[in-house]
Amino acid sequence: MAEDLAHVRRMWESDAASRALGIELLDVGVTDGLGHARTRMTVTDTQVNGHDIQHGGYLFTFADSTFALACNAGGSLTVASGAEINFVAAGRLGDVLVAEATERTRYGRNGITDVTVCREADGAVLAEFRGRSRAIGARS
């Protein structure tokens, strides 16, 4: 990686919520000035709801963590200003999920990032997430 992404790695190392869910950082970077990230997570028994599928809140958190990596890769301290998710298929106990985030645009201090969550075994799309970001300051 040619970019200096130490700030993103520090942010990730301090992210207790993502660590508690077992989310693994696979890749983070910047291409043509826009961030991207890739993560992986296994659906555990504590994430499965009464319908025997992954609770949507965990799927949202997984996508949101990947979104945070991508929109912070550019260097500014960036937070979510909003997000939405569309659930496409269900995750099940033991499924290994992969999330890929791509920052689509930045305008002023705002940005839009898309995250696709797939099941690693067959590539099935489980969710599409769109996050809106807001840069709130420079990195220290």
Side-chain angles (χ1 to χ4, degrees):
M1 264 182 279
E3 314 87 30
D4 177 14
L5 296 170
H7 64 283
V8 176
R9 295 197 185 282
R10 280 191 306 274
M11 178 192 78
W12 186 251
E13 289 166 7
S14 298
D15 186 343
S18 295
R19 188 172 44 257
L21 290 176
I23 301 172
E24 174 189 2
L25 173 58
L26 300 176
D27 181 48
V28 63
V30 178
T31 303
D32 296 329
L34 298 173
H36 56 86
R38 190 166 181 261
T39 60
R40 179 175 23 217
M41 179 180 78
T42 300
V43 179
T44 63
D45 61 345
T46 59
Q47 296 176 17
V48 176
N49 66 22
H51 296 296
D52 202 30
I53 60 175
Q54 186 182 33
H55 189 289
Y58 288 106
L59 193 55
F60 184 97
T61 301
F62 178 46
D64 185 50
S65 292
T66 311
F67 157 72
L69 286 161
C71 68
N72 276 276
S76 297
L77 179 60
T78 305
V79 296
S81 64
E84 63 182 42
I85 192 166
N86 291 296
F87 300 113
V88 178
R92 304 222 177 256
L93 180 63
D95 282 350
V96 177
L97 310 181
V98 174
E100 295 199 32
T102 304
E103 196 173 31
R104 297 295 179 197
T105 189
R106 270 193 239 138
Y107 50 102
R109 292 175 30 207
N110 303 296
I112 297 173
T113 300
D114 289 335
V115 183
T116 300
V117 178
C118 295
R119 188 172 29 247
E120 189 174 56
D122 61 3
V125 174
L126 300 188
E128 291 288 349
F129 172 105
R130 174 159 276 190
R132 294 175 305 283
S133 61
R134 177 86 172 165
I136 60 172
R139 296 255 170 234
S140 53

